Amino acid sequence: MLGSLLLAGSRLPLVRQTVSGIPLTRKVVDRFVAGEAVQDAVGAVRRLTGAGLTVTIDHLGEETRDAGAAAATAHAYTVLLGALRELDLGDRAEVSVKLSAVGQALGTDGDKIALENARRICEAARAAGAGVTLDMEDHTTVDSTLGVLRALREDFPGTGVAIQAALHRSEADCRDLSGAGSRVRLVKGAYAEPASVAHRRKADVDKAYVRCLRILMSGRGYPMVATHDDRMIAITETLADRFRRSRGDYEYQMLYGIRTDKQQALAGAGHTVRVYVPYGDDWYGYFMRRLAERPANVAFFLRALGGK
């Protein structure tokens, strides 16, 4: 219930203004967001890769309604990737791209604009030796995102995509995306979706996640298991053994600032652990989804407001 209220509130301008205006909100945001400038993102990458982790970097922003802003977001990614190339960090990094931030939401030409901007990002990533994964947004964007993915993979076959287990359609999507060379990040889903298209109860989402995970682990692609849940990690290891996957045949992904001890423990055991590093000044939507996902995050926020 609390998570649903937070997700609903994340789209209300008055709630955004109120939350953003609380001075101590920034203290909490700093836990989940690397900073606002590209230098902040690069600094986080250097720290994390120096500790034996890999990264995927998200330039925050979504639902862009202006072609110039969409192009500016794409440019921000190319600048970031250029900085990673100069520091020779590309082989430890990739970028995560929300297509709505690079033009997807721009009416009838949205998919075309998003594809053009995504191509620019993929070209910069290739030059840096880095990868690209398309983030998945709410259910209305899935077909569009998968269409752009197919087009990108013609020239950039390593392009990955996120699939949200909570959606009823996701098992079929995982089957379609489980072929050789296909990189899929499996997440539970962080959007408020109607019951007609998604599981709503946590227990049902967890079961759906396991079903999708089994499909990916039994396939020929490269699963990217995005979870902080010890049960899901244990199930992943069981499935890896069952389907004879080595530790180089899949990876774990976790959010910046969450379960850092677990990140280090998994990396220390020889797993690839990729940390999702967001940066930029448009942090509000991302921040609210992090609060909605885990009660512990809300408690952290309230403690900060209380000065504890």
Side-chain angles (χ1 to χ4, degrees), residues 62-263:
E62 53 196 89
E63 297 183 2
T64 298
R65 302 291 177 178
D66 176 81
T73 297
H75 177 68
Y77 273 107
T78 64
V79 170
L80 169 66
L81 287 160
L84 296 178
R85 181 182 181 183
E86 290 181 7
L87 294 170
D88 198 26
L89 291 172
D91 63 337
R92 305 281 297 169
E94 66 166 39
V95 293
S96 289
V97 179
K98 286 182 173 61
L99 290 180
S100 75
V102 294
Q104 187 182 48
L106 297 176
T108 56
D109 291 330
D111 284 4
K112 178 182 177 182
I113 295 169
L115 176 59
E116 290 173 352
N117 284 325
R119 284 188 184 280
R120 291 172 55 199
I121 296 168
C122 287
E123 288 167 357
R126 175 180 285 173
V132 176
T133 293
L134 303 182
D135 278 334
M136 192 64 74
E137 301 176 71
D138 70 65
H139 75 278
T140 64
T141 68
V142 176
D143 286 328
S144 168
T145 298
L146 294 179
V148 171
L149 175 73
R150 285 190 291 272
L152 285 173
R153 283 184 171 180
E154 293 178 5
D155 296 316
F156 306 97
T159 305
V161 68
I163 294 294
Q164 300 178 95
L167 297 180
H168 297 319
R169 63 174 289 168
S170 290
E171 290 176 62
D173 288 333
C174 284
R175 290 189 187 94
D176 291 342
L177 293 163
S178 63
S182 179
R183 298 170 58 253
V184 176
R185 174 195 296 148
L186 183 63
V187 302
K188 288 185 178 180
Y191 291 86
E193 303 283 15
S196 58
V197 301
H199 303 286
R200 300 294 296 272
R201 295 175 60 248
K202 181 182 183 302
D204 293 332
V205 174
D206 287 350
K207 291 174 183 176
Y209 191 95
V210 173
R211 291 194 298 270
C212 289
L213 181 60
R214 184 179 294 112
I215 292 167
L216 295 174
M217 295 294 281
S218 65
R220 300 175 61 202
Y222 182 76
M224 299 180 287
V225 186
T227 184
H228 306 96
D229 189 331
D230 286 330
R231 294 174 303 158
M232 295 303 167
I233 292 170
I235 291 169
T236 300
E237 294 305 296
T238 298
L239 291 173
D241 289 341
R242 180 181 304 173
F243 297 114
R244 295 180 173 82
R245 283 185 175 267
S246 70
R247 289 184 176 178
D249 289 336
Y250 63 100
E251 68 181 48
Y252 290 106
Q253 296 196 359
M254 295 187 178
L255 297 172
Y256 181 80
I258 297 179
R259 297 213 68 187
T260 55
D261 55 343
K262 190 65 175 180
Q263 295 172 16

Side-chain angles (χ1 to χ4, degrees), residues 24 27-28 31 296 298-308:
L24 283 174
K27 176 181 176 181
V28 186
R31 172 179 174 173
V298 179
F300 179 85
F301 183 40
L302 294 176
R303 285 196 303 271
L305 293 180
K308 298 180 180 179

